[in-house]
Amino acid sequence: MTLIVLVDDDISVLTPLTEQLETEGYKVQAFQSSLDAKDFFKTQNPDLAIFDIKMPDLNGYQLLKEVRLDNPSLPIIFLSSKIEEQDELIGFTLGADDYITKPFDKSILDARISSCIEKKHLRDKEKRLMK
């Protein structure tokens, strides 16, 4: 089962998004704390992560940098209320696979999640074949 990690300090986003993804058949691990999420990534290898940017403790950019140290190929999508082009540019420069602004269309998010996961599976398959 595909494991998605959600990190957003806003419970009004986290709860419905978790429920939506679980209904679609994903296993979801949700965190309101970026520090708790950081600890989770040290022992787990999810298929995809979705981060808010504006969070206390570590912001989404900082969390991405930390996660990439141990898992450079993990697909990461930013889901943020930061709508300036500069914010999006920073996200992509740091290595995000996608950037979606809030409020968001659920079908667009679904399509981007599917695309990121499919690309990850193809990369993983290539790695196995090259061994």
Side-chain angles (χ1 to χ4, degrees):
M1 180 175 279
T2 301
L3 173 60
I4 297 176
V5 174
L6 298 178
V7 187
D8 195 318
D9 62 318
D10 185 348
I11 197 73
S12 70
V13 172
L14 197 61
T15 300
L17 185 53
T18 298
E19 292 170 357
Q20 171 194 342
L21 293 173
E22 287 175 342
T23 299
E24 293 168 7
Y26 296 110
K27 181 177 179 184
V28 179
Q29 182 66 51
F31 295 95
Q32 280 187 274
S33 163
S34 54
L35 293 178
D36 290 343
K38 179 183 166 189
D39 289 340
F40 178 83
F41 283 108
K42 291 179 183 177
T43 62
Q44 302 296 315
N45 190 20
D47 298 289
L48 175 83
I50 301 174
F51 298 161
D52 185 18
I53 294 174
K54 295 190 292 185
M55 294 184 289
D57 303 321
L58 295 175
N59 67 40
Y61 299 139
Q62 294 165 319
L63 183 58
L64 180 144
K65 288 179 187 177
E66 292 288 328
V67 169
R68 287 280 191 229
L69 293 175
D70 295 320
N71 195 341
S73 65
L74 174 69
I76 297 175
I77 298 173
F78 280 123
L79 184 62
S80 179
S81 60
K82 294 176 73 76
I83 60 170
E84 299 297 320
E85 285 181 17
Q86 184 65 24
D87 299 313
E88 193 171 339
L89 181 60
I90 291 168
F92 284 120
T93 300
L94 292 174
D97 294 273
D98 212 331
Y99 191 107
I100 302 170
T101 57
K102 297 176 188 173
F104 58 93
D105 181 279
K106 291 178 183 179
S107 61
I108 296 296
L109 179 61
D110 289 342
R112 291 180 175 184
I113 288 171
S114 294
S115 176
C116 283
I117 290 171
E118 179 63 26
K119 288 176 188 174
K120 180 184 186 310
H121 289 160
L122 289 173
R123 284 191 305 265
D124 291 348
K125 184 177 180 180
E126 272 184 13
K127 286 179 187 176
R128 286 191 304 274
L129 292 173
M130 296 193 65
K131 289 184 177 181

